[in-house]
Amino acid sequence: MKIGGEAGQGIQTIGDTLAKVFARSGFHVFTHQEYESRIRGGHNIYQIRFSDMPVSSSKSIIDILVALDNDSINLHEKELTIGGTIIYDRDMLKNEYIGDQFLHIPLLDLAQTHGKDRIMVNTVATGSVLGMLGIEMDVFFQIVEDKLKKKGAEIISLNKDAFSAGYRYAVKECLRCAFSITPKEKSRMLIGVNEAIGIGAIASGCKFYSAYPMTPSTGIMLFMAGKAKEYGIIVEQAEDEIAAINMAIGASYAGVRSMTGTSGGGFALMVEGLSLAAMTETPIVIALAQRPGPATGLPTKTEQADLLFALHAGHGEFPKVIFAPGSPEQAFYLTNKAFDLSQRFQIPVFILTDQYLSDSQWTTEPFDFNRFIHREYRVKGRSLEDIKDYKRHSYTESGVSLFGIPGTSKKLIVTDSDEHDEEGHITEDPDIRIKMVEKRLFKKMALINQEIFPPELYGDENPDIVLVGWGSTWGVLKEIVDILSKNKKIALIHFQEVFPLPLIEKFDYLNILKHAKKTFCIENNATGQFSRLIKAETGLEFTHHIGRFDGKPFFADSLARSIDDIIG
């Protein structure tokens, strides 16, 4: 289903509430949002898909459209399935639509009559949808009581009355509603990717998060700020992204696990700080939520076009790791791994998401904290004091020097953004320079490569057709394999850990690609950034590339048809 209207009409409120009702009723849920870069007006949508089977993407067709403005009907009527229904209020829209698919519900009148406020239109609309679906009111009532308990019994009662009015009206008037929904016994956890990254960071011991608000990464900062008091975290809204990354580097150097988050334009400002972290070998985790550029681009739309930017960002040569989760579950575990690798190897680690993924919600199984890694790599106090000849940047076989926490012993800890010797003092000695590059880059990279997990193979183990994706396309491509595997030998190879590329000794994905008849690299960008990375690193070229760069995500059903047409 889809809820459409202008910014400020409460589309997200309706969508979030419905998604929670479906999840608590035991269904699998996937939601995504598309919105314009403005406070009020424009055209926004919130799309929900729910099923008794797992779902991991949106479709291009809808069964129910809640239209809060005329644009929603004009733009999305053609997406309606046969038998689908459009809910609208002819008085609100000042327009009457004729046809079996249209269901007029006096949303505004019911809101003012039963909820005593026009703002209750959202609640009436929510009741109307659940009335059409025949889902019991109890789940919604519980959500309202949980959400509004601080606002008092009267507000809760008015919301229930407004909801019930919409519910009863839909039950009575929707004569063509053929939906019959039976809730399941087990409720499910509903979570977004930004929240999953936040939980992963907190569980990994993050104690400092600094950022400048920038869509679509802001949700991470808001989540961390909401948990700051409970978990003893300092969350700093910096004056800009230059300050944000340098604050995080400073906090990390001082001894706490630190993270920053931004989007493309903000990351452009962070690049010099990134190099500072690399030269001083200070661990840092950077969440980079991609959106279309260049410059401000399409600030609230989606794209996967910052992969090569992140890969090549920073002056000089230094090791870095790039992760790209495709779901909240993957985001949660990869955030933990990002903290562990950044601390272990004293390097920057990226978590790449995008607007589509950042603003989506999924039902998922509870996270397994037993899989979490939390090793302490820093040395302080007595342990540091007992080291006879401590040097911050000492040469080692692994390239990793013992990282003392300043101020916890009498040991002096020195570093420098200039090239430095083992003690951290500035130097231009060419022999030391060579040794430091070998230590920081070559020795570490050899070990980092060993830590990168292979891509996920989903589908036929000896496929004729292979789809390759990274990051947010995981859910879409997985469903395409399900659709096309009924009569084709097809598989998905999805990369969550995109740089450095996984070693083929662990899983020879190159062999599968070389033996397939057709290989597709599918990504939300114009130039095929991941396929170029694969070619540069392995020499392999895909037989086909599908890119989308209009600011919108792929949809499983329509993309499956396109691929099927190419396969023939």
Side-chain angles (χ1 to χ4, degrees):
M1 68 182 63
K2 179 175 285 184
I3 301 102
E6 298 179 356
Q9 288 190 298
I11 294 158
Q12 187 170 5
T13 301
I14 300 172
D16 281 346
T17 304
L18 288 171
K20 284 180 184 173
V21 170
F22 299 141
R24 291 194 186 185
S25 298
F27 294 103
H28 298 272
V29 179
F30 178 87
T31 77
H32 92 274
Q33 301 179 60
E34 295 178 33
Y35 47 95
E36 296 187 2
S37 178
R38 57 184 71 183
I39 303 300
R40 298 191 69 85
H43 178 66
N44 302 336
I45 66 101
Y46 192 113
Q47 191 154 335
I48 306 171
R49 189 170 163 218
F50 73 98
S51 171
D52 53 2
M53 300 293 289
V55 287
S56 56
S57 69
S58 292
K59 284 188 171 182
S60 61
I61 54 176
I62 50 177
D63 293 310
I64 296 175
L65 171 63
V66 180
L68 299 181
D69 64 0
N70 288 295
D71 280 350
S72 298
I73 296 175
N74 297 333
L75 293 171
H76 303 297
E77 181 181 0
K78 59 182 178 298
E79 300 167 12
L80 206 65
T81 55
I82 297 173
T85 300
I86 300 174
I87 294 175
Y88 81 109
D89 180 345
R90 61 184 172 227
D91 297 321
M92 273 179 53
L93 271 56
K94 297 181 172 45
N95 221 337
E96 180 153 14
Y97 292 90
I98 306 300
D100 291 341
Q101 72 271 36
F102 292 101
L103 174 62
H104 158 68
I105 294 182
L107 302 173
L108 181 58
D109 181 59
L110 292 175
Q112 291 174 328
T113 303
H114 297 273
K116 311 301 181 190
D117 194 325
R118 64 179 296 129
I119 201 172
M120 293 288 185
V121 163
N122 303 330
T123 309
V124 176
T126 304
S128 302
V129 172
L130 295 182
M132 291 173 61
L133 298 173
I135 292 182
E136 296 296 325
M137 300 184 190
D138 294 351
V139 178
F140 173 81
F141 287 167
Q142 186 61 56
I143 290 171
V144 166
E145 289 174 5
D146 293 343
K147 186 177 180 181
L148 301 178
K149 58 186 175 185
K150 291 183 179 177
K151 295 191 175 182
E154 184 180 0
I155 296 297
I156 292 174
S157 178
L158 289 171
N159 271 274
K160 287 182 177 179
D161 289 346
F163 173 87
S164 301
Y167 189 99
R168 289 193 300 269
Y169 194 97
V171 169
K172 181 181 177 183
E173 300 296 332
C174 186
L175 304 179
R176 68 195 300 266
C177 286
F179 307 107
S180 178
I181 307 297
T182 304
K184 309 298 177 185
E185 293 182 359
K186 176 187 172 186
S187 63
R188 296 186 178 279
M189 181 172 79
L190 182 70
I191 190 169
V193 164
N194 281 344
E195 293 172 278
I197 290 173
I199 295 170
I202 293 170
S204 299
C206 179
K207 292 296 180 186
F208 185 86
Y209 187 93
S210 53
Y212 183 79
M214 192 169 187
T215 302
S217 66
T218 308
I220 303 172
M221 182 170 69
L222 295 176
F223 180 85
M224 298 291 283
K227 303 295 180 185
K229 186 175 181 182
E230 185 177 358
Y231 293 100
I233 303 165
I234 293 176
V235 178
E236 180 71 22
Q237 179 175 324
E239 63 265 36
D240 57 34
E241 288 83 354
I242 298 172
I245 191 169
N246 285 322
M247 285 179 180
I249 292 169
S252 179
Y253 184 74
V256 299
R257 295 190 174 200
S258 306
M259 181 177 180
T260 187
T262 188
S263 299
F267 179 63
L269 297 178
M270 289 185 175
V271 171
E272 188 174 15
L274 176 71
S275 296
L276 174 64
M279 177 55 101
T280 58
E281 298 182 82
T282 306
I284 187 170
V285 175
I286 303 167
L288 174 50
Q290 302 165 95
R291 69 188 205 188
T296 313
L298 299 172
T300 58
K301 304 299 181 185
T302 198
E303 202 161 79
Q304 292 179 294
D306 289 340
L307 172 60
L308 296 183
F309 177 32
L311 177 62
H312 297 297
H315 45 292
E317 299 167 301
F318 57 89
K320 65 179 71 162
V321 170
I322 301 175
F323 293 151
S327 70
E329 183 180 26
Q330 294 174 13
F332 174 71
Y333 294 115
L334 284 176
T335 301
N336 175 245
K337 187 169 182 178
F339 272 94
D340 186 67
L341 292 188
S342 68
Q343 294 288 321
R344 180 176 171 185
F345 294 106
Q346 302 165 24
I347 56 169
V349 179
F350 289 85
I351 304 167
L352 252 65
T353 63
D354 51 48
Q355 183 272 325
Y356 171 68
L357 195 63
S358 295
D359 288 325
S360 66
Q361 287 187 301
W362 308 51
T363 45
T364 186
E365 294 298 317
F367 298 148
D368 181 5
F369 285 86
N370 291 324
R371 289 175 53 185
F372 250 55
I373 305 167
H374 192 104
R375 306 185 188 102
E376 185 54 63
Y377 298 103
R378 304 290 292 271
V379 59
K380 63 181 179 180
R382 174 66 66 182
S383 299
L384 179 57
E385 192 64 37
D386 289 345
I387 298 172
K388 185 178 179 182
D389 185 23
Y390 178 77
K391 296 176 181 176
R392 167 65 190 101
H393 297 287
S394 60
Y395 304 130
T396 63
E397 283 299 312
S398 66
V400 179
S401 310
L402 201 56
F403 195 177
I405 297 178
T408 61
S409 80
K410 294 181 181 177
K411 299 292 184 184
L412 185 62
I413 298 173
V414 179
T415 192
D416 201 302
S417 64
D418 286 68
E419 190 54 273
H420 42 252
D421 59 18
E422 288 183 280
E423 293 184 335
H425 297 300
I426 184 171
T427 181
E428 295 184 3
D429 184 303
D431 291 335
I432 294 177
R433 165 68 179 179
I434 290 171
K435 285 185 177 181
M436 278 296 165
V437 172
E438 289 175 344
K439 166 189 141 48
R440 282 193 304 263
L441 181 59
F442 296 127
K443 289 186 176 181
K444 284 186 183 179
M445 281 305 296
L447 295 176
I448 291 169
N449 276 324
Q450 300 292 330
E451 300 299 321
I452 302 303
F453 284 174
E456 174 186 339
L457 175 67
Y458 180 77
D460 198 297
E461 293 185 353
N462 298 294
D464 293 331
I465 314 297
V466 182
L467 312 182
V468 172
W470 61 281
S472 66
T473 56
W474 174 78
V476 175
L477 300 183
K478 184 170 173 284
E479 292 205 16
I480 290 172
V481 170
D482 291 337
I483 294 169
L484 299 181
S485 62
K486 293 167 186 170
N487 55 11
K488 291 179 174 60
K489 294 182 66 177
I490 187 169
L492 162 66
I493 295 179
H494 179 265
F495 291 76
Q496 300 176 36
E497 304 188 18
V498 297
F499 188 82
L501 285 176
L503 298 173
I504 59 172
E505 287 79 0
K506 295 181 178 178
F507 168 49
D508 195 352
Y509 56 91
L510 290 177
N511 187 52
I512 293 176
L513 289 166
K514 288 174 183 174
H515 285 87
K517 294 176 181 174
K518 286 184 170 63
T519 55
F520 292 78
C521 190
I522 300 164
E523 26 185 344
N524 265 121
N525 59 57
T527 58
Q529 295 195 12
F530 189 66
S531 64
R532 289 161 62 193
L533 174 61
I534 291 283
K535 183 180 179 182
E537 295 284 318
T538 70
L540 185 138
E541 288 191 66
F542 295 97
T543 61
H544 297 77
H545 179 266
I546 298 177
R548 183 166 191 175
F549 45 94
D550 59 357
K552 294 180 176 293
F554 290 109
F555 293 108
D557 54 335
S558 55
L559 183 56
R561 287 194 296 273
S562 300
I563 293 172
D564 202 25
D565 289 342
I566 295 172
I567 295 171

